[in-house]
CSV table of all heavy atoms in Angstrom, one decimal:
chain,number,residue,atom,x,y,z
A,164,MET,N,0.8,-1.2,0.0
A,164,MET,CA,0.0,0.0,0.0
A,164,MET,C,0.9,1.3,0.0
A,164,MET,O,0.6,2.2,-0.6
A,164,MET,CB,-0.9,0.0,1.2
A,164,MET,CG,-1.9,1.1,1.3
A,164,MET,SD,-3.2,0.8,0.0
A,164,MET,CE,-4.3,2.1,0.4
A,165,LYS,N,2.0,1.2,0.7
A,165,LYS,CA,2.8,2.4,0.8
A,165,LYS,C,3.4,2.8,-0.6
A,165,LYS,O,3.5,3.9,-0.9
A,165,LYS,CB,4.0,2.1,1.8
A,165,LYS,CG,4.8,3.4,2.1
A,165,LYS,CD,5.8,3.0,3.2
A,165,LYS,CE,6.4,4.3,3.7
A,165,LYS,NZ,7.4,4.0,4.8
A,166,LYS,N,3.7,1.7,-1.3
A,166,LYS,CA,4.3,2.0,-2.7
A,166,LYS,C,3.2,2.6,-3.6
A,166,LYS,O,3.5,3.4,-4.4
A,166,LYS,CB,4.8,0.7,-3.2
A,166,LYS,CG,5.6,0.8,-4.5
A,166,LYS,CD,6.2,-0.5,-4.9
A,166,LYS,CE,7.2,-0.3,-6.0
A,166,LYS,NZ,7.9,-1.5,-6.4
A,167,ASP,N,2.0,2.2,-3.4
A,167,ASP,CA,0.9,2.8,-4.2
A,167,ASP,C,0.7,4.3,-3.9
A,167,ASP,O,0.5,5.1,-4.9
A,167,ASP,CB,-0.4,2.1,-4.0
A,167,ASP,CG,-0.4,0.6,-4.5
A,167,ASP,OD1,0.4,0.3,-5.4
A,167,ASP,OD2,-1.2,-0.2,-4.0
A,168,TRP,N,0.8,4.7,-2.7
A,168,TRP,CA,0.7,6.1,-2.3
A,168,TRP,C,1.9,6.9,-2.9
A,168,TRP,O,1.7,8.0,-3.4
A,168,TRP,CB,0.6,6.3,-0.8
A,168,TRP,CG,-0.8,6.1,-0.3
A,168,TRP,CD1,-1.2,5.0,0.4
A,168,TRP,CD2,-1.8,7.0,-0.4
A,168,TRP,NE1,-2.6,5.2,0.6
A,168,TRP,CE2,-3.0,6.4,0.2
A,168,TRP,CE3,-2.0,8.3,-1.0
A,168,TRP,CZ2,-4.2,7.0,0.2
A,168,TRP,CZ3,-3.2,8.9,-1.0
A,168,TRP,CH2,-4.3,8.3,-0.4
A,169,LYS,N,3.1,6.3,-2.9
A,169,LYS,CA,4.2,6.9,-3.4
A,169,LYS,C,4.1,7.2,-4.9
A,169,LYS,O,4.3,8.3,-5.4
A,169,LYS,CB,5.5,6.1,-3.1
A,169,LYS,CG,6.8,6.8,-3.6
A,169,LYS,CD,8.0,6.0,-3.2
A,169,LYS,CE,9.2,6.6,-3.7
A,169,LYS,NZ,10.4,5.8,-3.4
A,170,LYS,N,3.6,6.1,-5.6
A,170,LYS,CA,3.4,6.3,-7.1
A,170,LYS,C,2.3,7.3,-7.4
A,170,LYS,O,2.5,8.1,-8.3
A,170,LYS,CB,3.0,4.9,-7.6
A,170,LYS,CG,2.9,4.8,-9.1
A,170,LYS,CD,2.6,3.4,-9.6
A,170,LYS,CE,2.6,3.3,-11.1
A,170,LYS,NZ,2.3,1.9,-11.5
A,171,PHE,N,1.2,7.3,-6.6
A,171,PHE,CA,0.2,8.3,-6.8
A,171,PHE,C,0.7,9.7,-6.5
A,171,PHE,O,0.4,10.6,-7.3
A,171,PHE,CB,-1.0,8.0,-5.8
A,171,PHE,CG,-2.1,9.0,-5.9
A,171,PHE,CD1,-3.1,8.9,-6.8
A,171,PHE,CD2,-2.1,10.1,-5.0
A,171,PHE,CE1,-4.1,9.8,-6.9
A,171,PHE,CE2,-3.1,11.0,-5.1
A,171,PHE,CZ,-4.1,10.9,-6.0
A,172,LEU,N,1.4,9.9,-5.4
A,172,LEU,CA,1.9,11.2,-5.1
A,172,LEU,C,2.9,11.8,-6.2
A,172,LEU,O,2.8,12.9,-6.6
A,172,LEU,CB,2.7,11.2,-3.7
A,172,LEU,CG,3.2,12.5,-3.2
A,172,LEU,CD1,2.1,13.5,-3.0
A,172,LEU,CD2,4.0,12.3,-1.9
A,173,ILE,N,3.7,10.9,-6.7
A,173,ILE,CA,4.7,11.4,-7.7
A,173,ILE,C,3.9,11.7,-9.0
A,173,ILE,O,4.1,12.8,-9.6
A,173,ILE,CB,5.7,10.3,-8.1
A,173,ILE,CG1,6.7,10.1,-6.9
A,173,ILE,CG2,6.4,10.6,-9.4
A,173,ILE,CD1,7.6,8.9,-7.0
A,174,ALA,N,2.9,10.9,-9.4
A,174,ALA,CA,2.1,11.2,-10.6
A,174,ALA,C,1.3,12.5,-10.4
A,174,ALA,O,1.2,13.3,-11.3
A,174,ALA,CB,1.2,10.1,-10.9
A,175,ALA,N,0.7,12.7,-9.2
A,175,ALA,CA,-0.1,13.9,-8.9
A,175,ALA,C,0.8,15.1,-8.9
A,175,ALA,O,0.4,16.2,-9.4
A,175,ALA,CB,-0.8,13.7,-7.5
A,176,LEU,N,2.0,15.0,-8.3
A,176,LEU,CA,2.9,16.2,-8.3
A,176,LEU,C,3.4,16.6,-9.7
A,176,LEU,O,3.5,17.7,-10.1
A,176,LEU,CB,4.1,16.0,-7.4
A,176,LEU,CG,3.7,16.0,-5.9
A,176,LEU,CD1,4.9,15.6,-5.1
A,176,LEU,CD2,3.2,17.3,-5.5
A,177,ILE,N,3.6,15.6,-10.6
A,177,ILE,CA,4.0,15.8,-11.9
A,177,ILE,C,2.9,16.6,-12.7
A,177,ILE,O,3.1,17.5,-13.4
A,177,ILE,CB,4.4,14.5,-12.7
A,177,ILE,CG1,5.8,14.0,-12.1
A,177,ILE,CG2,4.5,14.7,-14.2
A,177,ILE,CD1,6.1,12.6,-12.6
A,178,ARG,N,1.7,16.1,-12.5
A,178,ARG,CA,0.5,16.7,-13.1
A,178,ARG,C,0.3,18.1,-12.6
A,178,ARG,O,0.1,19.0,-13.4
A,178,ARG,CB,-0.7,15.9,-12.9
A,178,ARG,CG,-1.9,16.4,-13.6
A,178,ARG,CD,-3.1,15.5,-13.4
A,178,ARG,NE,-3.0,14.4,-14.3
A,178,ARG,CZ,-4.0,13.7,-14.8
A,178,ARG,NH1,-5.2,13.9,-14.4
A,178,ARG,NH2,-3.8,12.7,-15.6
A,179,ALA,N,0.5,18.3,-11.3
A,179,ALA,CA,0.4,19.7,-10.7
A,179,ALA,C,1.4,20.6,-11.3
A,179,ALA,O,1.1,21.8,-11.5
A,179,ALA,CB,0.4,19.6,-9.2
A,180,VAL,N,2.6,20.2,-11.4
A,180,VAL,CA,3.7,21.1,-11.9
A,180,VAL,C,3.4,21.4,-13.4
A,180,VAL,O,3.6,22.6,-13.8
A,180,VAL,CB,5.1,20.4,-11.8
A,180,VAL,CG1,6.2,21.1,-12.6
A,180,VAL,CG2,5.5,20.3,-10.3
A,181,ARG,N,2.9,20.5,-14.2
A,181,ARG,CA,2.6,20.8,-15.5
A,181,ARG,C,1.4,21.8,-15.6
A,181,ARG,O,1.5,22.7,-16.4
A,181,ARG,CB,2.2,19.5,-16.3
A,181,ARG,CG,3.3,18.6,-16.6
A,181,ARG,CD,2.8,17.4,-17.3
A,181,ARG,NE,4.0,16.5,-17.6
A,181,ARG,CZ,3.8,15.2,-17.9
A,181,ARG,NH1,2.6,14.6,-17.9
A,181,ARG,NH2,4.9,14.5,-18.1
A,182,THR,N,0.4,21.6,-14.7
A,182,THR,CA,-0.7,22.6,-14.7
A,182,THR,C,-0.2,23.9,-14.3
A,182,THR,O,-0.6,25.0,-14.8
A,182,THR,CB,-1.8,22.1,-13.7
A,182,THR,OG1,-2.2,20.8,-14.2
A,182,THR,CG2,-2.9,23.0,-13.6
A,183,LEU,N,0.7,24.0,-13.3
A,183,LEU,CA,1.3,25.3,-12.8
A,183,LEU,C,2.0,26.0,-14.0
A,183,LEU,O,1.7,27.2,-14.2
A,183,LEU,CB,2.2,25.0,-11.7
A,183,LEU,CG,2.9,26.2,-11.1
A,183,LEU,CD1,2.9,26.1,-9.6
A,183,LEU,CD2,4.3,26.5,-11.6
A,184,ALA,N,2.8,25.2,-14.7
A,184,ALA,CA,3.5,25.8,-15.8
A,184,ALA,C,2.6,26.3,-16.9
A,184,ALA,O,2.8,27.4,-17.5
A,184,ALA,CB,4.5,24.8,-16.4
A,185,GLN,N,1.6,25.5,-17.3
A,185,GLN,CA,0.6,25.9,-18.3
A,185,GLN,C,-0.1,27.2,-17.9
A,185,GLN,O,-0.4,28.1,-18.7
A,185,GLN,CB,-0.4,24.8,-18.6
A,185,GLN,CG,0.3,23.6,-19.3
A,185,GLN,CD,-0.6,22.4,-19.3
A,185,GLN,OE1,-1.6,22.3,-18.5
A,185,GLN,NE2,-0.3,21.4,-20.1
A,186,THR,N,-0.5,27.3,-16.6
A,186,THR,CA,-1.2,28.4,-16.1
A,186,THR,C,-0.3,29.7,-16.2
A,186,THR,O,-0.8,30.8,-16.5
A,186,THR,CB,-1.8,28.2,-14.7
A,186,THR,OG1,-2.6,27.0,-14.8
A,186,THR,CG2,-2.6,29.4,-14.2
A,187,ALA,N,0.9,29.5,-15.8
A,187,ALA,CA,1.8,30.6,-15.8
A,187,ALA,C,2.0,31.2,-17.2
A,187,ALA,O,2.0,32.4,-17.4
A,187,ALA,CB,3.2,30.2,-15.2
A,188,ILE,N,2.2,30.2,-18.1
A,188,ILE,CA,2.4,30.7,-19.5
A,188,ILE,C,1.1,31.4,-20.1
A,188,ILE,O,1.2,32.4,-20.7
A,188,ILE,CB,2.7,29.4,-20.4
A,188,ILE,CG1,4.1,28.9,-20.1
A,188,ILE,CG2,2.6,29.8,-21.9
A,188,ILE,CD1,4.4,27.5,-20.6
A,189,ALA,N,0.0,30.9,-19.7
A,189,ALA,CA,-1.3,31.5,-20.2
A,189,ALA,C,-1.5,32.9,-19.5
A,189,ALA,O,-1.9,33.8,-20.2
A,189,ALA,CB,-2.5,30.6,-19.9
A,190,THR,N,-1.1,33.0,-18.3
A,190,THR,CA,-1.3,34.3,-17.6
A,190,THR,C,-0.3,35.3,-18.1
A,190,THR,O,-0.6,36.5,-18.3
A,190,THR,CB,-1.1,34.1,-16.0
A,190,THR,OG1,-2.0,33.0,-15.6
A,190,THR,CG2,-1.5,35.3,-15.3
A,191,ILE,N,0.9,34.9,-18.3
A,191,ILE,CA,1.9,35.8,-18.9
A,191,ILE,C,1.5,36.2,-20.3
A,191,ILE,O,1.7,37.4,-20.6
A,191,ILE,CB,3.3,35.1,-18.9
A,191,ILE,CG1,3.8,35.0,-17.4
A,191,ILE,CG2,4.3,35.9,-19.7
A,191,ILE,CD1,5.0,34.1,-17.3
A,192,GLY,N,1.0,35.3,-21.0
A,192,GLY,CA,0.6,35.6,-22.4
A,192,GLY,C,-0.5,36.6,-22.5
A,192,GLY,O,-0.8,37.2,-23.6
A,193,THR,N,-1.2,36.9,-21.4
A,193,THR,CA,-2.3,37.9,-21.5
A,193,THR,C,-1.8,39.4,-21.5
A,193,THR,O,-2.6,40.3,-21.7
A,193,THR,CB,-3.3,37.7,-20.4
A,193,THR,OG1,-2.6,37.9,-19.1
A,193,THR,CG2,-4.0,36.4,-20.4
A,194,SER,N,-0.5,39.5,-21.2
A,194,SER,CA,0.1,40.9,-21.1
A,194,SER,C,0.6,41.2,-22.5
A,194,SER,O,1.2,40.4,-23.2
A,194,SER,CB,1.2,40.9,-20.1
A,194,SER,OG,0.7,40.7,-18.8
A,195,ALA,N,0.5,42.5,-22.8
A,195,ALA,CA,1.0,42.9,-24.1
A,195,ALA,C,2.6,42.9,-24.1
A,195,ALA,O,3.2,42.6,-25.1
A,195,ALA,CB,0.5,44.3,-24.5
A,196,LEU,N,3.2,43.3,-23.0
A,196,LEU,CA,4.6,43.4,-22.9
A,196,LEU,C,5.1,42.7,-21.7
A,196,LEU,O,4.4,42.7,-20.7
A,196,LEU,CB,5.1,44.9,-22.8
A,196,LEU,CG,4.8,45.8,-24.0
A,196,LEU,CD1,5.1,47.2,-23.7
A,196,LEU,CD2,5.5,45.3,-25.3
A,197,ILE,N,6.3,42.1,-21.7
A,197,ILE,CA,6.8,41.4,-20.5
A,197,ILE,C,6.9,42.3,-19.3
A,197,ILE,O,6.8,41.9,-18.2
A,197,ILE,CB,8.1,40.6,-20.9
A,197,ILE,CG1,8.4,39.6,-19.8
A,197,ILE,CG2,9.2,41.6,-21.0
A,197,ILE,CD1,7.6,38.4,-19.8
A,198,SER,N,7.2,43.6,-19.6
A,198,SER,CA,7.3,44.5,-18.5
A,198,SER,C,6.0,44.9,-17.8
A,198,SER,O,5.9,45.4,-16.7
A,198,SER,CB,8.0,45.8,-19.0
A,198,SER,OG,7.1,46.4,-20.0
A,199,GLU,N,4.9,44.5,-18.5
A,199,GLU,CA,3.6,44.7,-17.9
A,199,GLU,C,3.0,43.6,-17.2
A,199,GLU,O,1.8,43.6,-16.7
A,199,GLU,CB,2.6,45.1,-19.0
A,199,GLU,CG,2.9,46.5,-19.7
A,199,GLU,CD,2.0,46.8,-20.8
A,199,GLU,OE1,1.1,46.0,-21.1
A,199,GLU,OE2,2.2,47.8,-21.5
A,200,VAL,N,3.7,42.5,-17.0
A,200,VAL,CA,3.2,41.3,-16.4
A,200,VAL,C,3.1,41.6,-14.9
A,200,VAL,O,4.1,42.0,-14.3
A,200,VAL,CB,4.2,40.1,-16.6
A,200,VAL,CG1,3.8,38.9,-15.8
A,200,VAL,CG2,4.2,39.7,-18.1
A,201,ASP,N,2.0,41.2,-14.3
A,201,ASP,CA,1.8,41.3,-12.9
A,201,ASP,C,2.2,40.0,-12.3
A,201,ASP,O,1.4,39.0,-12.3
A,201,ASP,CB,0.4,41.7,-12.5
A,201,ASP,CG,0.2,41.9,-11.0
A,201,ASP,OD1,1.1,41.6,-10.2
A,201,ASP,OD2,-0.9,42.5,-10.7
A,202,TRP,N,3.4,39.9,-11.8
A,202,TRP,CA,4.0,38.6,-11.4
A,202,TRP,C,3.2,38.0,-10.2
A,202,TRP,O,3.2,36.8,-10.0
A,202,TRP,CB,5.5,38.8,-11.1
A,202,TRP,CG,6.2,39.0,-12.4
A,202,TRP,CD1,6.7,40.2,-12.8
A,202,TRP,CD2,6.4,38.1,-13.4
A,202,TRP,NE1,7.3,40.1,-14.0
A,202,TRP,CE2,7.1,38.8,-14.5
A,202,TRP,CE3,6.1,36.8,-13.6
A,202,TRP,CZ2,7.5,38.2,-15.6
A,202,TRP,CZ3,6.5,36.2,-14.8
A,202,TRP,CH2,7.2,36.9,-15.8
A,203,ARG,N,2.6,38.9,-9.3
A,203,ARG,CA,1.9,38.4,-8.2
A,203,ARG,C,0.6,37.6,-8.7
A,203,ARG,O,0.3,36.6,-8.2
A,203,ARG,CB,1.4,39.5,-7.3
A,203,ARG,CG,2.6,40.1,-6.5
A,203,ARG,CD,2.2,41.2,-5.6
A,203,ARG,NE,1.7,42.3,-6.6
A,203,ARG,CZ,1.1,43.4,-6.2
A,203,ARG,NH1,0.9,43.6,-4.9
A,203,ARG,NH2,0.7,44.3,-7.1
A,204,VAL,N,0.0,38.1,-9.7
A,204,VAL,CA,-1.2,37.5,-10.3
A,204,VAL,C,-0.7,36.2,-11.0
A,204,VAL,O,-1.4,35.1,-10.8
A,204,VAL,CB,-1.8,38.4,-11.4
A,204,VAL,CG1,-2.9,37.6,-12.1
A,204,VAL,CG2,-2.4,39.6,-10.7
A,205,VAL,N,0.4,36.2,-11.7
A,205,VAL,CA,0.9,34.9,-12.3
A,205,VAL,C,1.2,33.9,-11.2
A,205,VAL,O,0.7,32.7,-11.3
A,205,VAL,CB,2.2,35.2,-13.1
A,205,VAL,CG1,2.8,33.9,-13.6
A,205,VAL,CG2,1.9,36.1,-14.3
A,206,ALA,N,1.8,34.3,-10.1
A,206,ALA,CA,2.2,33.3,-9.1
A,206,ALA,C,0.9,32.8,-8.4
A,206,ALA,O,0.8,31.6,-8.1
A,206,ALA,CB,3.1,34.0,-8.1
A,207,SER,N,0.0,33.7,-8.0
A,207,SER,CA,-1.2,33.2,-7.3
A,207,SER,C,-2.1,32.4,-8.2
A,207,SER,O,-2.6,31.3,-7.7
A,207,SER,CB,-2.0,34.4,-6.7
A,207,SER,OG,-2.5,35.2,-7.8
A,208,ALA,N,-2.3,32.7,-9.4
A,208,ALA,CA,-3.1,31.9,-10.3
A,208,ALA,C,-2.5,30.6,-10.6
A,208,ALA,O,-3.2,29.5,-10.6
A,208,ALA,CB,-3.3,32.6,-11.7
A,209,SER,N,-1.2,30.5,-10.7
A,209,SER,CA,-0.5,29.3,-11.0
A,209,SER,C,-0.5,28.4,-9.8
A,209,SER,O,-0.7,27.2,-9.9
A,209,SER,CB,1.0,29.5,-11.4
A,209,SER,OG,1.0,30.3,-12.6
A,210,ALA,N,-0.3,28.9,-8.6
A,210,ALA,CA,-0.4,28.2,-7.3
A,210,ALA,C,-1.8,27.6,-7.1
A,210,ALA,O,-1.9,26.4,-6.7
A,210,ALA,CB,0.1,29.0,-6.2
A,211,LEU,N,-2.8,28.4,-7.4
A,211,LEU,CA,-4.1,27.9,-7.2
A,211,LEU,C,-4.4,26.8,-8.2
A,211,LEU,O,-5.1,25.8,-7.8
A,211,LEU,CB,-5.1,29.1,-7.4
A,211,LEU,CG,-6.6,28.7,-7.4
A,211,LEU,CD1,-7.0,28.1,-6.0
A,211,LEU,CD2,-7.5,29.9,-7.7
A,212,ALA,N,-4.0,26.9,-9.4
A,212,ALA,CA,-4.2,25.9,-10.4
A,212,ALA,C,-3.5,24.6,-10.0
A,212,ALA,O,-4.0,23.5,-10.1
A,212,ALA,CB,-3.6,26.3,-11.8
A,213,ALA,N,-2.3,24.7,-9.4
A,213,ALA,CA,-1.6,23.5,-8.9
A,213,ALA,C,-2.3,22.8,-7.8
A,213,ALA,O,-2.4,21.6,-7.7
A,213,ALA,CB,-0.1,23.8,-8.5
A,214,ILE,N,-2.8,23.6,-6.8
A,214,ILE,CA,-3.6,23.1,-5.7
A,214,ILE,C,-4.9,22.4,-6.2
A,214,ILE,O,-5.2,21.3,-5.8
A,214,ILE,CB,-3.9,24.2,-4.7
A,214,ILE,CG1,-2.6,24.7,-4.0
A,214,ILE,CG2,-4.9,23.7,-3.7
A,214,ILE,CD1,-2.8,26.0,-3.2
A,215,LEU,N,-5.5,23.0,-7.1
A,215,LEU,CA,-6.8,22.4,-7.7
A,215,LEU,C,-6.4,21.1,-8.4
A,215,LEU,O,-7.2,20.2,-8.4
A,215,LEU,CB,-7.5,23.4,-8.6
A,215,LEU,CG,-8.1,24.6,-7.9
A,215,LEU,CD1,-8.7,25.6,-9.0
A,215,LEU,CD2,-9.2,24.1,-7.0
A,216,SER,N,-5.3,21.1,-9.1
A,216,SER,CA,-4.9,19.9,-9.8
A,216,SER,C,-4.7,18.7,-8.8
A,216,SER,O,-5.1,17.6,-9.0
A,216,SER,CB,-3.6,20.1,-10.6
A,216,SER,OG,-3.1,18.9,-11.1
A,217,ILE,N,-4.0,19.0,-7.7
A,217,ILE,CA,-3.8,18.0,-6.7
A,217,ILE,C,-5.1,17.5,-6.1
A,217,ILE,O,-5.4,16.3,-5.9
A,217,ILE,CB,-2.8,18.5,-5.6
A,217,ILE,CG1,-1.4,18.6,-6.2
A,217,ILE,CG2,-2.8,17.5,-4.4
A,217,ILE,CD1,-0.4,19.3,-5.3
A,218,LEU,N,-6.0,18.5,-5.7
A,218,LEU,CA,-7.3,18.1,-5.2
A,218,LEU,C,-8.1,17.3,-6.2
A,218,LEU,O,-8.8,16.3,-5.8
A,218,LEU,CB,-8.1,19.4,-4.7
A,218,LEU,CG,-7.5,20.1,-3.6
A,218,LEU,CD1,-8.2,21.4,-3.3
A,218,LEU,CD2,-7.4,19.2,-2.3
A,219,THR,N,-8.1,17.6,-7.4
A,219,THR,CA,-8.8,16.9,-8.5
A,219,THR,C,-8.2,15.5,-8.6
A,219,THR,O,-9.0,14.5,-8.7
A,219,THR,CB,-8.7,17.6,-9.8
A,219,THR,OG1,-9.3,18.9,-9.7
A,219,THR,CG2,-9.5,16.8,-10.9
A,220,SER,N,-6.9,15.3,-8.5
A,220,SER,CA,-6.3,14.0,-8.5
A,220,SER,C,-6.7,13.2,-7.3
A,220,SER,O,-7.0,12.0,-7.5
A,220,SER,CB,-4.7,14.2,-8.5
A,220,SER,OG,-4.3,14.8,-9.7
A,221,ILE,N,-6.8,13.8,-6.2
A,221,ILE,CA,-7.3,13.0,-5.0
A,221,ILE,C,-8.7,12.6,-5.2
A,221,ILE,O,-9.1,11.5,-4.9
A,221,ILE,CB,-7.1,13.9,-3.7
A,221,ILE,CG1,-5.6,14.1,-3.4
A,221,ILE,CG2,-7.8,13.2,-2.5
A,221,ILE,CD1,-5.3,15.1,-2.4
A,222,ALA,N,-9.6,13.5,-5.7
A,222,ALA,CA,-11.0,13.2,-5.8
A,222,ALA,C,-11.3,12.2,-6.9
A,222,ALA,O,-12.2,11.4,-6.7
A,222,ALA,CB,-11.7,14.5,-6.1
A,223,THR,N,-10.6,12.3,-8.0
A,223,THR,CA,-11.0,11.5,-9.2
A,223,THR,C,-10.0,10.4,-9.5
A,223,THR,O,-10.3,9.5,-10.3
A,223,THR,CB,-11.2,12.3,-10.4
A,223,THR,OG1,-9.9,13.0,-10.7
A,223,THR,CG2,-12.3,13.4,-10.2
A,224,GLY,N,-8.8,10.4,-8.9
A,224,GLY,CA,-7.8,9.5,-9.2
A,224,GLY,C,-7.0,9.9,-10.4
A,224,GLY,O,-7.3,10.9,-11.1
A,225,LEU,N,-6.0,9.0,-10.7
A,225,LEU,CA,-5.1,9.3,-11.9
A,225,LEU,C,-5.0,8.1,-12.8
A,225,LEU,O,-4.8,7.0,-12.3
A,225,LEU,CB,-3.7,9.6,-11.4
A,225,LEU,CG,-3.5,10.9,-10.6
A,225,LEU,CD1,-2.2,11.0,-9.9
A,225,LEU,CD2,-3.7,12.1,-11.5
A,226,PRO,N,-5.3,8.3,-14.1
A,226,PRO,CA,-5.2,7.1,-15.0
A,226,PRO,C,-3.7,6.6,-15.1
A,226,PRO,O,-3.6,5.5,-15.5
A,226,PRO,CB,-5.7,7.7,-16.3
A,226,PRO,CG,-5.5,9.2,-16.2
A,226,PRO,CD,-5.6,9.5,-14.7
A,227,GLU,N,-2.7,7.4,-14.7
A,227,GLU,CA,-1.4,7.0,-14.8
A,227,GLU,C,-1.0,5.9,-13.8
A,227,GLU,O,-0.1,5.2,-13.9
A,227,GLU,CB,-0.4,8.1,-14.6
A,227,GLU,CG,-0.5,9.2,-15.6
A,227,GLU,CD,-1.4,10.3,-15.2
A,227,GLU,OE1,-2.2,10.1,-14.3
A,227,GLU,OE2,-1.3,11.4,-15.8
A,228,VAL,N,-1.8,5.9,-12.7
A,228,VAL,CA,-1.6,4.9,-11.6
A,228,VAL,C,-2.5,3.7,-11.7
A,228,VAL,O,-3.7,3.9,-11.8
A,228,VAL,CB,-1.8,5.6,-10.2
A,228,VAL,CG1,-1.6,4.7,-9.1
A,228,VAL,CG2,-0.9,6.9,-10.1
A,229,ASP,N,-1.9,2.6,-11.8
A,229,ASP,CA,-2.7,1.3,-11.9
A,229,ASP,C,-3.4,1.1,-10.6
A,229,ASP,O,-2.8,1.0,-9.6
A,229,ASP,CB,-1.8,0.1,-12.2
A,229,ASP,CG,-1.1,0.2,-13.6
A,229,ASP,OD1,-1.7,0.8,-14.5
A,229,ASP,OD2,0.0,-0.4,-13.7
A,230,GLU,N,-4.7,0.9,-10.8
A,230,GLU,CA,-5.5,0.6,-9.6
A,230,GLU,C,-5.9,-0.9,-9.7
A,230,GLU,O,-6.6,-1.3,-10.5
A,230,GLU,CB,-6.7,1.5,-9.5
A,230,GLU,CG,-6.4,2.9,-9.3
A,230,GLU,CD,-7.6,3.8,-8.9
A,230,GLU,OE1,-8.5,3.2,-8.4
A,230,GLU,OE2,-7.5,5.0,-9.2
A,231,LYS,N,-5.3,-1.7,-8.8
A,231,LYS,CA,-5.6,-3.1,-8.8
A,231,LYS,C,-6.5,-3.5,-7.6
A,231,LYS,O,-6.5,-3.0,-6.6
A,231,LYS,CB,-4.3,-3.9,-8.7
A,231,LYS,CG,-3.4,-3.7,-9.9
A,231,LYS,CD,-2.1,-4.4,-9.8
A,231,LYS,CE,-1.2,-4.1,-11.0
A,231,LYS,NZ,0.0,-4.8,-10.9
């Protein structure tokens, strides 16, 4: 059982980091110039997306993890 949690945690964290990066890219892309980027908004939106990704993984599971 311990190994299953480890595999799940690694897969969930990988998914959360990808979601964080995608959200950061999308948020940065909404600014006309890089100097106009509100970095606090980018950080908070990206962190929230990562947290939601982890919570979604807990609620619905991950197809990457074999459930036997």
Side-chain angles (χ1 to χ4, degrees):
M164 185 73 172
K165 190 174 189 178
K166 192 172 189 175
D167 292 336
W168 277 103
K169 184 178 179 182
K170 188 175 181 180
F171 176 85
L172 182 61
I173 290 170
L176 289 175
I177 289 170
R178 184 175 281 206
V180 169
R181 287 180 181 161
T182 301
L183 182 139
Q185 291 168 345
T186 303
I188 291 167
T190 308
I191 291 168
T193 61
S194 297
L196 299 172
I197 195 73
S198 62
E199 295 177 0
V200 174
D201 186 347
W202 293 105
R203 292 178 296 176
V204 171
V205 172
S207 64
S209 300
L211 178 60
I214 291 167
L215 290 174
S216 175
I217 290 171
L218 293 174
T219 302
S220 296
I221 291 169
T223 62
L225 292 169
E227 299 92 344
V228 179
D229 293 331
E230 295 192 23
K231 296 179 181 180

